[in-house]
Amino acid sequence: MAQEDIFKKLVAHCKEYGYVFQSSEIYDGLGAVYDYGQNGVELKNNIKKYWWDSMVLLHENVVGIDSAIFMHPTIWKASGHVDAFNDPLIDNKDSKKRYRADVLIEEQLAKYEEKMDKEVAKAQKRFGDAFDEKQFRETNPRVLANQEKWNALHARFSDALNASDLAELKQIIEDEGIVCPISGSRNWTDVRQFNLMFSTDMGSTADGALKIYLRPETAQGIFVNYLNVQKTGRMKLPFGIAQIGKAFRNEIVARQFIFRMREFEQMEMQFFVKPGTELDWFDKWKETRINWHRALGFGDENYRFHVHEKLAHYANAAVDVEYKFPFGFKEVEGIHSRTDFDLSQHQKYSGKKIQYFDPELGESYVPYVVETSIGVDRMFLQVVAASYCEEEVESNGKKDTRVVMKLPPVLAPVKLAVMPLVKKDGLPEKAREIIDDLKFDFNCQYDEKDSIGKRYRRQDAIGTPFCVTVDHQTLEDQTVTIRFRDTMEQERVAIAELKNMIADQVSFKKLFAKLK
Ligand code: ATP
């Protein structure tokens, strides 16, 4: 099945099984805003717990905060967001559709890459084991021609971005013959800058209302609390402050479901270090963060680092962790070495000294910062995309397809479903008894409707790792059948064993042990 079709199915599945709903759906929805349903919120909370505990519990020198969404407007002046948090936009005059000029060009670069990859794949088929990819890429004329086009475009694009040259971005789009995917035409407007911050008014107009912004990132709430946390927590450098919270961006093109939203959630950690040590810490956090992703077991080959070509003016190193989504490798997390830019700016704009007294050196300085920044929603999409699976199975001697969410059990919204085989003979009561015993440890679900086979499928679709069936034998010997989601194997076990058995499989502790 084509990857786009799988993605469409995933989106439909998320709705059907209570993971993600379009916001304000009964009013025809609101662009790029989504709500999380009864299963979605559980998965989201588990992802947040995985991140929070791995940062705050596992690192003695990382603490958390929760700052307000509304902040003093001068913060966004100091951070550069008022003047420079822009995307270059371009409209197609025929379709009236709006695009990000930089994304159109990036997609063109990806087309050249695809062409090269296709040549390689063809040759690989032809030559089999004897195939030398490196040599082929260095000598094949068609690959070389595309590589040359890629290099030229890439260089031109980087120069235009670095110079914020909007006319050149348009020229590139014209020279490359990039067409609007909807109208197919090249009838483009000029490229303009568009600020992504939402604003609103605080206070009544009579008082002289204050124009404030909905924060476009959670990081600034950390920077402006640096002194508070350092002093009250008696923190010594290096130390980090972590925060999870909502962020808002008026994205020009909001596509691909919850990949790019206008209201989303971020998990950010700012790590304050002594100047000159930031690049070592940058490497350490790169390693720590990629291990965090890999520990979920979705396959190391599906992650890669993407080093930024264009560094933001305040950064001296930046890398993205990318995951292979059904629509290609895309950013899930950013790791940035932000120098002393933010704290220095806040020092300048607030007039307050924001420094650290280093007892070893006997002097004060503005700390440098390494940031790790990941979107909860994008991580959610990564997890469901990696877990969604359609499998051919045999059912009563017939071929059938089952849809199963192979979520890591530790993240699964529902850990176990308890099902009485029939709705009589005291079996429902026994099932309830088991739930009453386990519900303080795990999120359990009771299910008595339809045949057992149908109930299994329903739980597979939600991603429930364990189904426990209560039958007549249970009443006699206190044993149940436990069925495992991924293998569909069943085992007879004592009720008394259930807690330990499940706890072992859904344990955060076990997952954290992999991070060492
Ligand atoms: P992109 O290039 O995809 O717009 P970005 O580089 O602007 O992302 P950052 O500002 O570094 O992103 O934000 C950090 C993380 O926040 C991203 O890696 C992503 O996971 C998440 N994120 C950013 N914008 C959005 C959005 N509009 N919707 C959902 N998640 C987002």
Side-chain angles (χ1 to χ4, degrees):
M1 201 187 314
Q3 291 292 303
E4 297 95 76
D5 294 334
I6 293 185
F7 191 63
K8 272 191 200 144
K9 283 191 167 188
L10 173 68
V11 174
H13 189 85
C14 280
K15 181 178 172 195
E16 193 179 344
Y17 289 93
Y19 274 92
V20 183
F21 306 127
Q22 170 79 62
S23 155
S24 322
E25 196 184 350
I26 57 169
Y27 290 96
D28 297 332
L30 186 66
V33 186
Y34 290 89
D35 298 337
Y36 288 85
Q38 65 280 15
N39 289 316
V41 68
E42 298 288 345
L43 172 57
K44 205 176 176 210
N45 284 341
N46 290 339
I47 290 172
K48 288 196 265 187
K49 181 174 167 56
Y50 178 37
W51 184 86
W52 184 268
D53 288 359
S54 74
M55 283 291 174
V56 176
L57 296 191
L58 299 197
H59 295 99
E60 217 177 286
N61 57 353
V62 177
V63 292
I65 62 163
D66 182 21
S67 70
I69 288 172
F70 292 158
M71 294 197 273
H72 195 287
T74 310
I75 287 173
W76 303 111
K77 194 80 193 146
S79 69
H81 283 81
V82 172
D83 297 320
F85 193 52
N86 301 319
D87 275 346
L89 68 83
I90 189 165
D91 294 290
N92 183 269
K93 292 182 195 164
D94 298 318
S95 67
K96 308 268 184 287
K97 286 279 171 203
R98 181 159 285 179
Y99 298 90
R100 262 172 66 177
D102 55 333
V103 172
L104 285 178
I105 299 171
E106 274 166 12
E107 284 170 359
Q108 182 73 0
L109 282 167
K111 274 188 192 153
Y112 290 130
E113 283 167 27
E114 258 168 49
K115 280 186 190 166
M116 290 186 269
D117 290 345
K118 263 193 192 146
E119 292 294 341
V120 170
K122 257 191 338 203
Q124 198 150 27
K125 239 186 185 171
R126 211 168 48 235
F127 296 114
D129 287 345
F131 182 62
D132 180 342
E133 182 175 336
K134 186 163 176 282
Q135 191 193 4
F136 181 79
R137 282 188 185 268
E138 283 166 3
T139 52
N140 178 275
R142 276 187 298 270
V143 172
L144 288 177
N146 277 306
Q147 186 65 53
E148 211 166 289
K149 283 184 193 164
W150 188 95
N151 292 347
L153 174 57
H154 188 254
R156 227 181 132 187
F157 178 45
S158 298
D159 288 348
L161 279 184
N162 283 326
S164 295
D165 187 342
L166 303 183
E168 173 68 353
L169 286 179
K170 176 167 185 196
Q171 199 56 53
I172 294 175
I173 289 172
E174 283 182 347
D175 293 350
E176 288 287 324
I178 296 174
V179 298
C180 164
I182 308 280
S183 66
S185 91
R186 299 177 188 181
N187 195 6
W188 297 109
T189 62
D190 285 342
V191 177
R192 283 166 295 145
Q193 291 288 26
F194 176 77
N195 192 288
L196 300 182
M197 279 199 295
F198 286 101
S199 65
T200 186
D201 296 320
M202 185 181 259
S204 72
T205 2
D207 293 332
L210 193 60
K211 180 177 176 182
I212 55 167
Y213 298 97
L214 299 190
R215 66 180 178 199
E217 61 176 30
T218 57
Q220 297 304 323
I222 295 179
F223 293 128
V224 298
N225 276 299
Y226 161 79
L227 280 181
N228 287 335
V229 175
Q230 194 271 319
K231 293 223 162 88
T232 59
R234 294 179 295 117
M235 307 299 290
K236 289 205 169 54
L237 246 53
F239 76 93
I241 305 180
Q243 162 155 251
I244 299 180
K246 289 271 186 170
F248 306 83
R249 295 183 188 178
N250 198 1
E251 298 282 359
I252 301 169
V253 188
R255 258 186 282 149
Q256 282 151 341
F257 193 37
I258 55 172
F259 183 82
R260 192 172 299 288
M261 303 154 91
R262 297 202 167 100
E263 173 181 339
F264 58 102
E265 214 168 351
Q266 286 187 313
M267 307 188 278
E268 296 198 297
M269 196 277 304
Q270 310 295 325
F271 198 70
F272 301 94
V273 303
K274 185 173 160 188
T277 65
E278 72 276 9
L279 292 180
D280 287 340
W281 282 109
F282 175 76
D283 286 341
K284 283 200 182 107
W285 279 109
K286 248 176 83 178
E287 182 75 15
T288 305
R289 295 304 305 148
I290 195 86
N291 286 343
W292 183 90
H293 287 278
R294 287 180 177 155
L296 288 173
F298 292 126
D300 291 1
E301 69 286 3
N302 292 321
Y303 299 91
R304 71 178 188 193
F305 283 121
H306 168 78
V307 179
H308 281 216
E309 309 294 337
K310 184 199 171 195
L311 287 176
H313 56 285
Y314 51 77
N316 65 1
V319 76
D320 293 336
V321 177
E322 293 188 337
Y323 176 75
K324 197 174 178 190
F325 283 95
F327 40 85
F329 270 103
K330 293 276 182 251
E331 170 181 346
V332 182
E333 169 159 9
I335 300 157
H336 313 120
S337 174
R338 294 179 77 125
T339 68
D340 60 353
F341 174 79
D342 302 271
L343 291 183
S344 297
Q345 284 293 98
H346 290 307
Q347 183 166 259
K348 186 166 134 201
Y349 277 78
S350 69
K352 306 273 177 345
K353 193 171 156 196
I354 307 181
Q355 297 193 354
Y356 175 75
F357 177 75
D358 190 326
E360 276 170 33
L361 295 181
E363 63 182 62
S364 296
Y365 49 76
V366 179
Y368 270 44
V369 173
V370 175
E371 159 185 87
T372 72
S373 172
I374 172 169
V376 179
D377 314 86
R378 210 172 274 186
M379 183 63 198
F380 183 110
L381 183 60
Q382 193 255 282
V383 170
V384 290
S387 303
Y388 181 84
C389 188
E390 290 181 15
E391 279 181 355
E392 292 280 318
V393 287
E394 284 242 333
S395 157
N396 298 331
K398 275 189 279 169
K399 275 207 181 340
D400 194 11
T401 312
R402 76 160 181 156
V403 177
V404 50
M405 286 277 242
K406 293 193 171 173
L407 295 165
V410 63
L411 297 184
V414 180
K415 303 302 188 210
L416 85 153
V418 184
M419 311 166 167
L421 188 62
V422 289
K423 272 191 266 182
K424 54 181 186 184
D425 305 337
L427 300 190
E429 290 75 12
K430 189 72 196 166
R432 295 261 181 222
E433 204 181 281
I434 294 173
I435 289 188
D436 278 345
D437 185 38
L438 297 179
K439 71 182 176 196
F440 300 106
D441 297 289
F442 318 114
N443 193 356
C444 308
Q445 209 169 72
Y446 175 80
D447 195 357
E448 62 173 23
K449 199 171 173 293
D450 301 319
S451 69
I452 278 286
K454 270 194 182 159
R455 283 183 257 173
Y456 283 160
R457 286 297 150 77
R458 206 153 48 219
Q459 296 299 334
D460 287 346
I462 294 173
T464 307
F466 308 103
C467 287
V468 166
T469 305
V470 174
D471 54 21
H472 292 93
Q473 192 185 329
T474 309
L475 302 180
E476 286 161 24
D477 66 2
Q478 303 297 315
T479 64
V480 287
T481 319
I482 183 163
R483 180 230 190 220
F484 302 96
R485 178 194 67 196
D486 297 350
T487 59
M488 295 191 289
E489 274 165 16
Q490 304 188 13
E491 220 178 289
R492 192 94 205 165
V493 297
I495 294 174
E497 276 177 40
L498 281 176
K499 195 180 286 181
N500 283 343
M501 208 171 162
I502 296 169
D504 180 62
Q505 296 295 315
V506 303
S507 142
F508 270 100
K509 205 167 164 189
K510 210 166 155 184
L511 180 58
F512 292 140
K514 290 192 196 163
L515 300 180
K516 283 193 190 124

